[in-house]
């Protein structure tokens, strides 16, 4: 049977795209460099007997339609909620907990400001109303600037939807898409801990100060998800993030998708009538009717060496640097926080070591000068507290996700020489709040921004396949003129996080790209 579609990369978006295409009756072959499917959403053993999500580590943005259509629950996927969202140790003796219901959060916030506690319900309501606007646009194909009548119609529909919003909400949409998270939060709250708890999301995968204009959007991007029907909540996939992509793999294979692992694509085969297959690094050629790439869009510059054109310059300019550092640690015991001693529910929440927005701002300025801050922003999750499949009994695994570690280090320094020192700084940070932490570490796996690029093909170490800035969103993702999943060469499509609506384990770019590919079926089948 001849191949209709070759997909470069078997990240979660590639898998989602493959499933929809195969369901429509197409013969799909996926070619993946790594030895396992899932891209940045995988679970691997990193120390004998200890497994954990390797890169992405927590779930919320995964689209419910994708979960249903791909029958992920039937393939064994189970997502559990955390008892509450976040725990922030603030000092040796004080901390704040967010989540576990409105009343519990209000009680906690009132310890710092009664006024802030009173404003909380309105804050959540407003953020959710704006997130709804975003949720509405997720499954849409952005209108392509300079496109034809269909794009004009799309643009008109999107504008019409915004026009139905009350003016108050329209202003809020504008502010959240353009302002800094810090300025926006200063409007709502007066106490530092609550601003830090909410503002943290604005610097996750975003090399910026919380006071950098545009950072409020990144905060919003992290709240459009849901877990088990509850909006804005983050949860844990039992078995780690690899459980999501293994469930997707099962669905893909049941639909007849062929997945070839250990297959590194060297270039896309371009004939007179467009993309018609791929050539692997070992010289094998695979012919197909159309080609879809799940990889970072900037990699097209390498994959299309002979395709000249005006598209090359804007693709070279795609901003890719989330400045993130990721580490897994195997633990002999749980960290004992001086501000909240003993083993309690906070061990199952997202533990954020960044007590104020000013602290995050300083980490950003230090990283601008020195490559990374010796006083880094660290989030820690300990998934083994809710999932006994990851570590031996009485032992634990923790995911450490750290912000503001630049891909390019100044002064000719390089990550291979600096990896261990940066990891030690991260461990020191946690040990400041939980003194037994350093001594409890049995093993660690470090991923610097350079490792993320080498291991996962994440250009510049960018976790989202491109910055989530206003110049790289919606019709401008990955670049203006190519916002509708169709790439510069005929019969070539983008289905990864570099396309609308961007990064995160959402499955949405894969879903939307498949729809466009099927719309064009007559064209590329020729
Ligand atoms: C450290 C880290 C932490 C994160 N944390 C979270 C989180 O907690 N929650 C969340 O929702 N999101 C998180 N993210 C973001 C999220 O994981 C990504 O946005 C998402 O997984 C990207 O999925 P994708 O399918 O678009 O691309 P990818 O997962 O990047 O998949 C692309 C695939 O293409 C393959 N490939 C590339 N080039 C070639 C080639 N030439 N030939 C063959 N194959 C190729 C790659 O090997 C890869 O498997 C995180 C990401 C990272 C890196």
């Amino acid at each position: 049977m001849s191949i209709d579609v070759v997909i470069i990369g078997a990240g979660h978006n590639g898998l989602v795209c493959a499933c929809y295409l195969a369901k429509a009756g197409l013969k799909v072959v996926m070619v993946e460099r790594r030895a396992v499917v899932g891209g940045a959403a995988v679970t691997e053993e990193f120390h004998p007997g200890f497994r954990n999500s390797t890169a992405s580590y927590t779930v919320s943005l995964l689209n419910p339609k994708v979960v249903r259509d791909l029958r992920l629950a039937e393939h064994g996927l189970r997502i559990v909620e955390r008892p509450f969202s976040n725990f922030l140790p603030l000092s040796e003796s004080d901390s704040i907990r967010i989540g576990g219901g409105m009343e519990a959060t209000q009680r906690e916030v009132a310890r710092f400001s009664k006024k802030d506690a009173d404003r909380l319900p309105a804050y959540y309501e407003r953020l959710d109303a704006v997130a709804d606007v975003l949720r509405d646009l997720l499954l849409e194909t952005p209108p392509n600037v300079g496109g034809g009548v269909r794009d004009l119609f799309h643009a008109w529909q999107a504008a019409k939807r915004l026009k139905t919003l009350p003016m108050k909400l329209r202003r809020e949409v504008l502010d959240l898409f353009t302002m800094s998270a810090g300025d926006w939060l200063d409007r709502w709250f007066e106490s530092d801990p609550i601003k830090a708890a909410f503002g943290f999301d604005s610097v996750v995968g975003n090399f910026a100060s919380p006071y950098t204009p545009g950072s409020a959007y990144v905060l919003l991007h992290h709240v459009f998800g849901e877990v088990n029907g509850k909006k804005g909540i983050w949860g844990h996939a039992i078995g780690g993030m690899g459980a999501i992509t293994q469930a997707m793999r099962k669905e893909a294979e049941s639909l007849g998708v062929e997945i070839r692992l250990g297959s590194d694509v060297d270039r896309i085969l371009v004939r007179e009538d467009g993309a018609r297959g791929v050539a692997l690094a070992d010289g094998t050629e695979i012919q197909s009717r159309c080609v879809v790439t799940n990889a970072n869009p900037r990699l097209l510059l390498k994959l299309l060496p002979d395709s000249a054109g005006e598209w090359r310059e804007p693709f070279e300019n795609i901003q890719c640097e989330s400045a993130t550092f990721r580490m897994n640690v195997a633990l002999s015991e749980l960290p004992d926080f001086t501000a909240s001693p003993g083993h309690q529910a906070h061990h199952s929440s997202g533990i954020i070591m960044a007590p104020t927005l000013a602290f995050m701002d300083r980490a950003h300025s230090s990283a601008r000068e020195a490559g990374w801050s010796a006083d880094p922003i660290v989030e820690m999750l300990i998934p083994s507290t809710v999932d006994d499949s990851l570590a031996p009994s009485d032992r634990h695994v923790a995911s450490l996700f750290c912000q503001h570690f630049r891909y390019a280090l100044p002064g000719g320094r390089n990550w291979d020489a600096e990896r261990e020192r940066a990891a030690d700084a991260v461990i020191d940070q946690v040990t400041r709040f939980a003194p037994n932490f350093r001594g409890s570490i049995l093993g660690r796996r470090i991923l610097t921004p350079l490792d993320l690029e080498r291991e996962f093909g994440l250009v510049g170490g960018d976790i989202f396949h491109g910055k989530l800035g206003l110049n790289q969103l919606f019709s401008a993702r990955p670049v203006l003129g190519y916002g509708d999943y169709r790439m510069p060469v005929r019969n070539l499509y983008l289905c990864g996080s570099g396309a609308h609506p961007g990064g995160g384990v959402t499955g949405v770019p894969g879903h939307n790209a498949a729809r466009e590919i099927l719309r064009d079926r007559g064209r590329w089948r020729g």
Side-chain angles (χ1 to χ4, degrees), residues 24-62:
L26 302 183
K27 172 66 190 162
V28 182
V29 171
M30 306 190 76
V31 276
E32 166 57 48
R33 263 177 55 202
R34 298 192 81 221
V36 59
V37 301
V42 283
T43 305
E44 290 165 305
E45 188 176 70
F46 67 97
H47 185 72
F50 293 81
R51 297 160 66 240
N52 198 10
S53 307
T54 308
S56 69
Y57 58 99
T58 177
V59 59
S60 169
L61 309 176
L62 187 58

mmCIF file of all heavy atoms in Angstrom, residues 24-62:
data_model
loop_
_atom_site.group_PDB
_atom_site.id
_atom_site.type_symbol
_atom_site.label_atom_id
_atom_site.label_comp_id
_atom_site.label_asym_id
_atom_site.label_seq_id
_atom_site.Cartn_x
_atom_site.Cartn_y
_atom_site.Cartn_z
ATOM 1 N N ALA A 24 -9.236 8.812 9.150
ATOM 2 C CA ALA A 24 -9.884 9.245 7.902
ATOM 3 C C ALA A 24 -9.506 8.329 6.738
ATOM 4 O O ALA A 24 -9.821 8.613 5.585
ATOM 5 C CB ALA A 24 -9.485 10.682 7.595
ATOM 6 N N GLY A 25 -8.749 7.249 7.032
ATOM 7 C CA GLY A 25 -8.476 6.248 6.004
ATOM 8 C C GLY A 25 -7.119 6.387 5.329
ATOM 9 O O GLY A 25 -6.846 5.689 4.348
ATOM 10 N N LEU A 26 -6.264 7.279 5.821
ATOM 11 C CA LEU A 26 -4.971 7.470 5.160
ATOM 12 C C LEU A 26 -3.920 6.503 5.700
ATOM 13 O O LEU A 26 -3.981 6.097 6.862
ATOM 14 C CB LEU A 26 -4.482 8.908 5.365
ATOM 15 C CG LEU A 26 -5.409 10.012 4.855
ATOM 16 C CD1 LEU A 26 -4.774 11.373 5.057
ATOM 17 C CD2 LEU A 26 -5.731 9.810 3.377
ATOM 18 N N LYS A 27 -2.978 6.164 4.849
ATOM 19 C CA LYS A 27 -1.853 5.329 5.267
ATOM 20 C C LYS A 27 -0.758 6.275 5.790
ATOM 21 O O LYS A 27 -0.234 7.124 5.057
ATOM 22 C CB LYS A 27 -1.342 4.508 4.067
ATOM 23 C CG LYS A 27 -0.050 3.754 4.333
ATOM 24 C CD LYS A 27 -0.211 2.647 5.364
ATOM 25 C CE LYS A 27 1.138 2.078 5.788
ATOM 26 N NZ LYS A 27 1.064 1.333 7.041
ATOM 27 N N VAL A 28 -0.456 6.145 7.084
ATOM 28 C CA VAL A 28 0.459 7.087 7.744
ATOM 29 C C VAL A 28 1.688 6.345 8.272
ATOM 30 O O VAL A 28 1.568 5.310 8.929
ATOM 31 C CB VAL A 28 -0.246 7.786 8.939
ATOM 32 C CG1 VAL A 28 0.683 8.804 9.594
ATOM 33 C CG2 VAL A 28 -1.546 8.446 8.503
ATOM 34 N N VAL A 29 2.869 6.913 7.994
ATOM 35 C CA VAL A 29 4.119 6.383 8.567
ATOM 36 C C VAL A 29 4.770 7.500 9.382
ATOM 37 O O VAL A 29 4.885 8.637 8.915
ATOM 38 C CB VAL A 29 5.083 5.918 7.445
ATOM 39 C CG1 VAL A 29 6.459 5.574 8.024
ATOM 40 C CG2 VAL A 29 4.503 4.711 6.723
ATOM 41 N N MET A 30 5.169 7.154 10.637
ATOM 42 C CA MET A 30 5.860 8.146 11.473
ATOM 43 C C MET A 30 7.334 7.747 11.570
ATOM 44 O O MET A 30 7.642 6.567 11.768
ATOM 45 C CB MET A 30 5.268 8.167 12.887
ATOM 46 C CG MET A 30 3.780 8.373 12.916
ATOM 47 S SD MET A 30 3.189 8.674 14.600
ATOM 48 C CE MET A 30 3.691 10.370 14.840
ATOM 49 N N VAL A 31 8.207 8.739 11.460
ATOM 50 C CA VAL A 31 9.644 8.450 11.608
ATOM 51 C C VAL A 31 10.185 9.286 12.753
ATOM 52 O O VAL A 31 10.098 10.517 12.735
ATOM 53 C CB VAL A 31 10.422 8.725 10.300
ATOM 54 C CG1 VAL A 31 10.333 7.538 9.373
ATOM 55 C CG2 VAL A 31 9.934 9.972 9.592
ATOM 56 N N GLU A 32 10.720 8.604 13.758
ATOM 57 C CA GLU A 32 11.152 9.265 14.991
ATOM 58 C C GLU A 32 12.617 8.947 15.267
ATOM 59 O O GLU A 32 13.023 7.795 15.246
ATOM 60 C CB GLU A 32 10.251 8.783 16.153
ATOM 61 C CG GLU A 32 10.758 9.105 17.554
ATOM 62 C CD GLU A 32 10.995 10.593 17.823
ATOM 63 O OE1 GLU A 32 10.101 11.400 17.512
ATOM 64 O OE2 GLU A 32 12.078 10.938 18.337
ATOM 65 N N ARG A 33 13.379 9.994 15.558
ATOM 66 C CA ARG A 33 14.817 9.857 15.863
ATOM 67 C C ARG A 33 15.088 9.019 17.095
ATOM 68 O O ARG A 33 16.010 8.229 17.135
ATOM 69 C CB ARG A 33 15.354 11.255 16.199
ATOM 70 C CG ARG A 33 16.020 11.968 15.098
ATOM 71 C CD ARG A 33 16.422 13.344 15.581
ATOM 72 N NE ARG A 33 17.250 13.246 16.789
ATOM 73 C CZ ARG A 33 17.418 14.231 17.681
ATOM 74 N NH1 ARG A 33 16.803 15.365 17.530
ATOM 75 N NH2 ARG A 33 18.196 14.082 18.718
ATOM 76 N N ARG A 34 14.293 9.257 18.149
ATOM 77 C CA ARG A 34 14.581 8.619 19.430
ATOM 78 C C ARG A 34 14.116 7.152 19.405
ATOM 79 O O ARG A 34 13.441 6.714 18.477
ATOM 80 C CB ARG A 34 13.890 9.363 20.579
ATOM 81 C CG ARG A 34 14.381 10.808 20.732
ATOM 82 C CD ARG A 34 13.908 11.416 22.046
ATOM 83 N NE ARG A 34 14.728 11.018 23.174
ATOM 84 C CZ ARG A 34 14.251 10.688 24.372
ATOM 85 N NH1 ARG A 34 12.950 10.664 24.588
ATOM 86 N NH2 ARG A 34 15.068 10.351 25.356
ATOM 87 N N ALA A 35 14.450 6.445 20.495
ATOM 88 C CA ALA A 35 14.086 5.026 20.567
ATOM 89 C C ALA A 35 12.702 4.833 21.178
ATOM 90 O O ALA A 35 12.239 3.706 21.369
ATOM 91 C CB ALA A 35 15.126 4.290 21.407
ATOM 92 N N VAL A 36 12.035 5.938 21.492
ATOM 93 C CA VAL A 36 10.726 5.861 22.153
ATOM 94 C C VAL A 36 9.844 6.978 21.594
ATOM 95 O O VAL A 36 10.355 8.033 21.213
ATOM 96 C CB VAL A 36 10.925 5.992 23.701
ATOM 97 C CG1 VAL A 36 11.598 7.289 24.087
ATOM 98 C CG2 VAL A 36 9.620 5.854 24.465
ATOM 99 N N VAL A 37 8.537 6.733 21.523
ATOM 100 C CA VAL A 37 7.635 7.802 21.069
ATOM 101 C C VAL A 37 7.409 8.782 22.216
ATOM 102 O O VAL A 37 7.662 8.468 23.374
ATOM 103 C CB VAL A 37 6.252 7.253 20.604
ATOM 104 C CG1 VAL A 37 6.396 6.265 19.462
ATOM 105 C CG2 VAL A 37 5.446 6.679 21.770
ATOM 106 N N GLY A 38 6.910 9.977 21.887
ATOM 107 C CA GLY A 38 6.476 10.904 22.943
ATOM 108 C C GLY A 38 7.201 12.234 22.961
ATOM 109 O O GLY A 38 6.722 13.178 23.569
ATOM 110 N N GLY A 39 8.384 12.318 22.316
ATOM 111 C CA GLY A 39 9.119 13.593 22.322
ATOM 112 C C GLY A 39 9.359 14.054 23.746
ATOM 113 O O GLY A 39 9.920 13.309 24.563
ATOM 114 N N ALA A 40 8.903 15.265 24.064
ATOM 115 C CA ALA A 40 9.129 15.826 25.406
ATOM 116 C C ALA A 40 8.135 15.294 26.437
ATOM 117 O O ALA A 40 8.174 15.708 27.591
ATOM 118 C CB ALA A 40 9.074 17.346 25.344
ATOM 119 N N ALA A 41 7.245 14.390 26.026
ATOM 120 C CA ALA A 41 6.285 13.802 26.984
ATOM 121 C C ALA A 41 6.562 12.301 27.093
ATOM 122 O O ALA A 41 5.900 11.476 26.450
ATOM 123 C CB ALA A 41 4.852 14.074 26.535
ATOM 124 N N VAL A 42 7.585 11.965 27.871
ATOM 125 C CA VAL A 42 8.002 10.562 28.025
ATOM 126 C C VAL A 42 8.330 10.259 29.485
ATOM 127 O O VAL A 42 8.675 11.156 30.254
ATOM 128 C CB VAL A 42 9.274 10.231 27.203
ATOM 129 C CG1 VAL A 42 8.968 10.073 25.739
ATOM 130 C CG2 VAL A 42 10.376 11.261 27.421
ATOM 131 N N THR A 43 8.234 8.966 29.836
ATOM 132 C CA THR A 43 8.686 8.508 31.157
ATOM 133 C C THR A 43 9.859 7.564 30.924
ATOM 134 O O THR A 43 9.763 6.668 30.076
ATOM 135 C CB THR A 43 7.557 7.727 31.865
ATOM 136 O OG1 THR A 43 6.394 8.563 31.918
ATOM 137 C CG2 THR A 43 7.960 7.346 33.291
ATOM 138 N N GLU A 44 10.965 7.782 31.651
ATOM 139 C CA GLU A 44 12.138 6.920 31.459
ATOM 140 C C GLU A 44 12.780 6.620 32.810
ATOM 141 O O GLU A 44 12.662 7.415 33.758
ATOM 142 C CB GLU A 44 13.156 7.614 30.532
ATOM 143 C CG GLU A 44 12.665 7.699 29.086
ATOM 144 C CD GLU A 44 13.454 8.676 28.217
ATOM 145 O OE1 GLU A 44 13.578 9.855 28.590
ATOM 146 O OE2 GLU A 44 13.930 8.265 27.158
ATOM 147 N N GLU A 45 13.497 5.487 32.862
ATOM 148 C CA GLU A 45 14.259 5.175 34.073
ATOM 149 C C GLU A 45 15.513 6.046 34.053
ATOM 150 O O GLU A 45 16.217 6.088 33.055
ATOM 151 C CB GLU A 45 14.632 3.692 34.106
ATOM 152 C CG GLU A 45 15.261 3.301 35.430
ATOM 153 C CD GLU A 45 15.551 1.806 35.542
ATOM 154 O OE1 GLU A 45 16.464 1.332 34.837
ATOM 155 O OE2 GLU A 45 14.870 1.131 36.334
ATOM 156 N N PHE A 46 15.775 6.753 35.161
ATOM 157 C CA PHE A 46 16.951 7.634 35.169
ATOM 158 C C PHE A 46 17.966 7.219 36.230
ATOM 159 O O PHE A 46 19.081 7.743 36.272
ATOM 160 C CB PHE A 46 16.521 9.094 35.381
ATOM 161 C CG PHE A 46 15.935 9.382 36.738
ATOM 162 C CD1 PHE A 46 16.721 9.912 37.753
ATOM 163 C CD2 PHE A 46 14.609 9.096 37.005
ATOM 164 C CE1 PHE A 46 16.190 10.161 39.009
ATOM 165 C CE2 PHE A 46 14.072 9.333 38.258
ATOM 166 C CZ PHE A 46 14.858 9.869 39.257
ATOM 167 N N HIS A 47 17.565 6.271 37.102
ATOM 168 C CA HIS A 47 18.441 5.735 38.141
ATOM 169 C C HIS A 47 17.866 4.344 38.412
ATOM 170 O O HIS A 47 16.640 4.195 38.381
ATOM 171 C CB HIS A 47 18.351 6.648 39.383
ATOM 172 C CG HIS A 47 19.294 6.259 40.480
ATOM 173 N ND1 HIS A 47 20.653 6.451 40.390
ATOM 174 C CD2 HIS A 47 19.072 5.683 41.685
ATOM 175 C CE1 HIS A 47 21.220 6.006 41.500
ATOM 176 N NE2 HIS A 47 20.287 5.531 42.299
ATOM 177 N N PRO A 48 18.715 3.330 38.652
ATOM 178 C CA PRO A 48 18.166 1.973 38.765
ATOM 179 C C PRO A 48 16.958 1.898 39.723
ATOM 180 O O PRO A 48 17.069 2.291 40.889
ATOM 181 C CB PRO A 48 19.356 1.157 39.295
ATOM 182 C CG PRO A 48 20.568 1.922 38.817
ATOM 183 C CD PRO A 48 20.175 3.371 38.820
ATOM 184 N N GLY A 49 15.821 1.464 39.171
ATOM 185 C CA GLY A 49 14.607 1.313 39.981
ATOM 186 C C GLY A 49 13.773 2.583 40.104
ATOM 187 O O GLY A 49 12.693 2.560 40.704
ATOM 188 N N PHE A 50 14.249 3.705 39.538
ATOM 189 C CA PHE A 50 13.529 4.989 39.658
ATOM 190 C C PHE A 50 13.174 5.501 38.256
ATOM 191 O O PHE A 50 14.067 5.694 37.425
ATOM 192 C CB PHE A 50 14.385 6.039 40.362
ATOM 193 C CG PHE A 50 14.649 5.740 41.810
ATOM 194 C CD1 PHE A 50 15.645 4.840 42.173
ATOM 195 C CD2 PHE A 50 13.905 6.366 42.807
ATOM 196 C CE1 PHE A 50 15.896 4.565 43.507
ATOM 197 C CE2 PHE A 50 14.155 6.097 44.146
ATOM 198 C CZ PHE A 50 15.146 5.184 44.504
ATOM 199 N N ARG A 51 11.863 5.720 38.035
ATOM 200 C CA ARG A 51 11.400 6.245 36.745
ATOM 201 C C ARG A 51 10.714 7.584 36.995
ATOM 202 O O ARG A 51 10.136 7.804 38.062
ATOM 203 C CB ARG A 51 10.358 5.302 36.120
ATOM 204 C CG ARG A 51 10.863 3.917 35.766
ATOM 205 C CD ARG A 51 9.713 2.931 35.635
ATOM 206 N NE ARG A 51 8.858 3.249 34.504
ATOM 207 C CZ ARG A 51 7.571 3.534 34.607
ATOM 208 N NH1 ARG A 51 6.972 3.529 35.772
ATOM 209 N NH2 ARG A 51 6.864 3.800 33.537
ATOM 210 N N ASN A 52 10.739 8.417 35.976
ATOM 211 C CA ASN A 52 9.983 9.673 36.092
ATOM 212 C C ASN A 52 9.794 10.265 34.703
ATOM 213 O O ASN A 52 10.478 9.873 33.754
ATOM 214 C CB ASN A 52 10.738 10.670 36.991
ATOM 215 C CG ASN A 52 9.840 11.795 37.493
ATOM 216 O OD1 ASN A 52 8.611 11.743 37.324
ATOM 217 N ND2 ASN A 52 10.419 12.804 38.100
ATOM 218 N N SER A 53 8.864 11.208 34.613
ATOM 219 C CA SER A 53 8.738 11.980 33.378
ATOM 220 C C SER A 53 10.090 12.650 33.152
ATOM 221 O O SER A 53 10.643 13.247 34.086
ATOM 222 C CB SER A 53 7.673 13.064 33.537
ATOM 223 O OG SER A 53 6.463 12.513 33.988
ATOM 224 N N THR A 54 10.610 12.583 31.923
ATOM 225 C CA THR A 54 11.962 13.088 31.691
ATOM 226 C C THR A 54 11.962 14.610 31.515
ATOM 227 O O THR A 54 12.789 15.298 32.102
ATOM 228 C CB THR A 54 12.566 12.427 30.428
ATOM 229 O OG1 THR A 54 12.435 11.015 30.579
ATOM 230 C CG2 THR A 54 14.023 12.787 30.251
ATOM 231 N N ALA A 55 11.048 15.114 30.693
ATOM 232 C CA ALA A 55 11.022 16.561 30.405
ATOM 233 C C ALA A 55 9.735 17.147 30.983
ATOM 234 O O ALA A 55 9.699 17.538 32.154
ATOM 235 C CB ALA A 55 11.147 16.793 28.914
ATOM 236 N N SER A 56 8.634 17.180 30.186
ATOM 237 C CA SER A 56 7.390 17.724 30.752
ATOM 238 C C SER A 56 6.938 16.779 31.862
ATOM 239 O O SER A 56 7.202 15.574 31.824
ATOM 240 C CB SER A 56 6.331 17.884 29.677
ATOM 241 O OG SER A 56 5.899 16.645 29.236
ATOM 242 N N TYR A 57 6.267 17.325 32.873
ATOM 243 C CA TYR A 57 6.061 16.543 34.095
ATOM 244 C C TYR A 57 4.690 16.724 34.723
ATOM 245 O O TYR A 57 4.378 16.063 35.716
ATOM 246 C CB TYR A 57 7.149 16.910 35.129
ATOM 247 C CG TYR A 57 7.146 18.381 35.454
ATOM 248 C CD1 TYR A 57 6.529 18.860 36.600
ATOM 249 C CD2 TYR A 57 7.706 19.304 34.582
ATOM 250 C CE1 TYR A 57 6.477 20.215 36.872
ATOM 251 C CE2 TYR A 57 7.658 20.659 34.842
ATOM 252 C CZ TYR A 57 7.049 21.107 35.989
ATOM 253 O OH TYR A 57 6.982 22.450 36.231
ATOM 254 N N THR A 58 3.872 17.635 34.211
ATOM 255 C CA THR A 58 2.558 17.827 34.838
ATOM 256 C C THR A 58 1.519 18.145 33.759
ATOM 257 O O THR A 58 1.856 18.728 32.726
ATOM 258 C CB THR A 58 2.630 18.912 35.941
ATOM 259 O OG1 THR A 58 1.331 19.138 36.481
ATOM 260 C CG2 THR A 58 3.171 20.234 35.427
ATOM 261 N N VAL A 59 0.283 17.742 33.996
ATOM 262 C CA VAL A 59 -0.705 17.779 32.913
ATOM 263 C C VAL A 59 -1.918 18.631 33.277
ATOM 264 O O VAL A 59 -2.379 18.604 34.410
ATOM 265 C CB VAL A 59 -1.119 16.333 32.527
ATOM 266 C CG1 VAL A 59 -1.710 15.579 33.681
ATOM 267 C CG2 VAL A 59 -2.068 16.313 31.362
ATOM 268 N N SER A 60 -2.370 19.407 32.294
ATOM 269 C CA SER A 60 -3.594 20.185 32.457
ATOM 270 C C SER A 60 -4.121 20.613 31.089
ATOM 271 O O SER A 60 -5.319 20.654 30.863
ATOM 272 C CB SER A 60 -3.328 21.448 33.295
ATOM 273 O OG SER A 60 -4.419 22.318 33.258
ATOM 274 N N LEU A 61 -3.176 20.914 30.183
ATOM 275 C CA LEU A 61 -3.580 21.548 28.932
ATOM 276 C C LEU A 61 -4.088 20.550 27.896
ATOM 277 O O LEU A 61 -4.646 20.937 26.876
ATOM 278 C CB LEU A 61 -2.392 22.339 28.358
ATOM 279 C CG LEU A 61 -1.712 23.306 29.346
ATOM 280 C CD1 LEU A 61 -0.495 23.968 28.712
ATOM 281 C CD2 LEU A 61 -2.686 24.381 29.820
ATOM 282 N N LEU A 62 -3.909 19.249 28.182
ATOM 283 C CA LEU A 62 -4.310 18.210 27.232
ATOM 284 C C LEU A 62 -5.800 18.352 26.917
ATOM 285 O O LEU A 62 -6.638 18.303 27.821
ATOM 286 C CB LEU A 62 -4.022 16.835 27.845
ATOM 287 C CG LEU A 62 -4.207 15.622 26.943
ATOM 288 C CD1 LEU A 62 -3.337 15.703 25.700
ATOM 289 C CD2 LEU A 62 -3.908 14.341 27.713
#
